[in-house]
Amino acid sequence: MSAKKLLALLFVLAVLVGVAVIPARVGIAPVSAGATSRPSLEEGGVIMQAFYWDVPAGGIWWDTIRSKIPDWASAGISAIWIPPASKGMSGAYSMGYDPYDFFDLGEYYQKGTVETRFGSKQELINMINTAHSYGIKVIADIVINHRAGGDLEWNPFTNSYTWTDFSKVASGKYTANYLDFHPNEVKCCDEGTFGGFPDIAHEKSWDQYWLWASQKSYAAYLRSIGIDAWRFDYVKGYGAWVVKDWLKWWALAVGEYWDTNVDALLNWAYSSGAKVFDFPLYYKMDEAFDNKNIPALVSALQNGQTVVSRDPFKAVTFVANHDTDIIWNKYPAYAFILTYEGQPVIFYRDYEEWLNKDRLKNLIWIHNNLAGGSTSIVYYDNDELIFVRNGYGNKPGLITYINLGSSKVGRWVYVPKFAGSCIHEYTGNLGGWVDKYVGSNGWVYLEAPAHDPAKGQYGYSVWSYCGVG
């Protein structure tokens, strides 16, 4: 009996006795294994953006998130990113990006309401505690470029009345006046303003004390209720030193530096000590997957025009968020970010409303269990992309084959990492259980299904060693 036939027989016997465990569906990686195998947030685990713009008002959102947590934990989510929790100028209608009283998380009557749009402080704490009970960390959205909703006062630096009187905040904490905003006696301005709102002067010791640099600060307050990490909004508006100093006190973070200049993003990331959303990759994925221009994406990856290609440990990758949702061909985009390098984010509405949840659960499992190590691109054209993850630690690596065409495709590819091995297709997109044997010379014929989600054809396949699961 040849070695190849012997290997095939041994593999079949292993399946029959239950050694190769892939129980959820024939040919599909288990979607319930994530709860025990998911990496931590710090190790690059998958983040769920747990909101979208204008989520339902009425104080129900913290409870809504809480109800989703068991499923998200089962799916393998490592952390959730929640919206800004403080009382905003718009009261019960605020999405939190117009912060008025940083220390009102839904417990004081002001701006026409006690609860925030999302609920009460206690409901927020209950949600955080539930997340922690399932091993999920909570990332708070931090809006500290500006404040909103203050009263009018005379401002000698502008020679006019400005909305900079925050002496009446119901919490009684972090009161402020015109001296706490630009222009002031220190300087006229900083890196940027937003929406005409009063621009916080982060160089003032009073503002630092109340925002992050003390045990009575806003950051300390959020930590006291269980917040684990931070997502900083509009970091173009103030110096990277602010986030760097914040992180000396309070754990890890990611910043929203909305720009396609990868040098600017990495300069900010290295100066702040935080990770950064990979906006250059986001726009290249739109070009590649919506316009069948995969060479543009590959060129950007090979020439260091994305954060993930320059420093994957600084890159947070995404397909959509509450501010921007331009990629309509989302399945190949999620297949890409969940099998490529970088730390991926899943958008709430994609997971809960718009896409096939089982497809995303499957990709999360693949990310958590297979997708490790450096990347080698082995083939691409306008419609097709094939790359190998070379494995690291307990993640053995994988081969991703993305096909944007309307017909099933196949190619011989050289994947020396898997030479002489049995490899299994872990998405089920090819229909049932599919194994291949990579030649000792490293060559194998791989296939990817047609891309037509309306017909249940998802246009990608993912391969790794047989028996992982």
Side-chain angles (χ1 to χ4, degrees):
M1 180 182 293
S2 70
K4 182 175 179 180
K5 288 182 178 178
L6 177 60
L7 181 60
L9 177 60
L10 290 173
F11 180 74
V12 171
L13 289 172
V15 172
L16 290 176
V17 300
V19 174
V21 183
I22 306 181
R25 295 172 186 79
V26 174
I28 302 179
V31 296
S32 60
T36 56
S37 61
R38 65 175 181 261
S40 69
L41 172 64
E42 293 81 1
E43 294 168 331
V46 180
I47 299 168
M48 174 70 73
Q49 180 176 358
F51 68 100
Y52 53 93
W53 196 258
D54 284 345
V55 299
I60 65 171
W61 196 248
W62 298 140
D63 286 341
T64 299
I65 294 176
R66 188 182 181 199
S67 73
K68 304 291 184 183
I69 286 170
D71 174 65
W72 294 348
S74 170
I77 297 298
S78 298
I80 57 173
W81 158 23
I82 64 172
S86 298
K87 187 71 61 66
M89 176 178 70
S90 304
Y93 302 99
S94 172
M95 281 296 296
Y97 293 93
D98 54 348
Y100 171 67
D101 187 344
F102 286 98
F103 291 83
D104 180 2
L105 303 179
E107 59 180 321
Y108 301 104
Y109 183 82
Q110 55 186 338
K111 299 301 178 183
T113 181
V114 173
E115 292 191 344
T116 67
R117 183 189 192 104
F118 313 117
S120 68
K121 177 184 175 183
Q122 189 57 54
E123 289 165 346
L124 170 61
I125 292 172
N126 293 344
M127 181 272 291
I128 294 170
N129 289 342
T130 299
H132 288 168
S133 73
Y134 280 89
I136 291 178
K137 292 192 174 180
V138 181
I139 304 169
D141 204 320
I142 302 298
V143 185
I144 58 169
N145 175 74
H146 53 270
R147 292 182 78 167
D151 295 326
L152 275 173
E153 64 178 346
W154 178 254
N155 188 335
F157 296 101
T158 64
N159 200 33
S160 64
Y161 285 93
T162 54
W163 301 94
T164 48
D165 179 3
F166 290 84
S167 62
K168 300 182 180 66
V169 291
S171 69
K173 299 177 181 179
Y174 194 16
T175 59
N177 60 31
Y178 63 86
L179 293 171
D180 298 294
F181 304 95
H182 297 126
N184 58 18
E185 80 282 11
V186 178
K187 60 182 181 181
C188 71
C189 47
D190 61 5
E191 283 75 3
T193 60
F194 182 83
F197 295 128
D199 186 57
I200 294 175
H202 301 87
E203 69 276 2
K204 300 295 289 286
S205 59
W206 175 263
D207 299 270
Q208 293 177 23
Y209 178 89
W210 282 111
L211 286 174
W212 76 87
S214 77
Q215 294 297 329
K216 293 185 178 180
S217 67
Y218 176 50
Y221 186 45
L222 292 180
R223 288 286 283 181
S224 74
I225 65 167
I227 292 299
D228 301 291
W230 322 97
R231 180 267 185 189
F232 286 91
D233 182 65
Y234 188 58
V235 296
K236 276 188 172 183
Y238 47 93
W241 67 268
V242 172
V243 175
K244 183 177 182 180
D245 200 52
W246 184 299
L247 295 184
K248 288 179 182 177
W249 292 72
W250 314 107
L252 62 88
V254 56
E256 182 212 33
Y257 196 107
W258 198 330
D259 205 298
T260 57
N261 184 329
V262 68
D263 290 320
L265 270 72
L266 282 172
N267 286 340
W268 182 87
Y270 294 139
S271 297
S272 68
K275 294 188 176 187
V276 66
F277 289 102
D278 197 344
F279 281 96
L281 178 68
Y282 172 70
Y283 289 107
K284 286 300 179 182
M285 287 196 299
D286 176 49
E287 189 174 353
F289 302 134
D290 286 351
N291 298 294
K292 291 191 175 184
N293 190 1
I294 287 176
L297 172 62
V298 172
S299 176
L301 294 170
Q302 292 179 336
N303 292 291
Q305 296 169 351
T306 66
V307 178
V308 74
S309 59
R310 294 268 292 275
D311 189 341
F313 299 103
K314 285 293 186 182
V316 176
T317 58
F318 65 101
V319 174
N321 64 32
H322 63 295
D323 283 325
T324 180
D325 188 14
I326 62 172
I327 298 174
W328 56 265
N329 206 359
K330 290 184 174 181
Y331 287 104
Y334 274 114
F336 181 84
I337 69 167
L338 286 161
T339 61
Y340 206 79
E341 297 173 68
Q343 184 159 27
V345 178
I346 293 180
F347 184 45
Y348 178 94
R349 302 197 82 171
D350 287 339
Y351 183 88
E352 292 291 343
E353 301 175 16
W354 292 339
L355 301 183
N356 183 311
K357 186 180 291 188
D358 282 344
R359 296 296 95 208
L360 292 178
K361 286 184 175 183
N362 171 252
L363 287 170
I364 295 167
W365 186 93
I366 287 169
H367 172 273
N368 289 349
N369 291 275
L370 306 178
S374 61
T375 306
S376 304
I377 295 173
V378 297
Y379 180 82
Y380 67 93
D381 59 25
N382 284 338
D383 291 341
E384 299 173 46
L385 172 63
I386 306 174
F387 60 84
V388 174
R389 294 292 302 279
N390 293 303
Y392 183 80
N394 61 356
K395 296 184 177 184
L398 53 76
I399 310 165
T400 296
Y401 191 164
I402 294 173
N403 170 33
L404 304 180
S406 57
S407 301
K408 182 179 178 180
V409 293
R411 294 197 177 274
W412 284 95
V413 291
Y414 180 58
V415 288
K417 169 184 169 51
F418 295 95
S421 300
C422 169
I423 60 172
H424 177 73
E425 202 290 301
Y426 279 90
T427 71
N429 289 340
L430 290 172
W433 193 284
V434 181
D435 295 329
K436 300 278 186 176
Y437 292 90
V438 183
S440 59
N441 60 2
W443 284 90
V444 65
Y445 186 79
L446 297 181
E447 297 168 296
H451 178 71
D452 189 348
K455 295 180 179 179
Q457 298 171 331
Y458 295 98
Y460 61 87
S461 58
V462 181
W463 310 77
S464 188
Y465 295 107
C466 294
V468 180

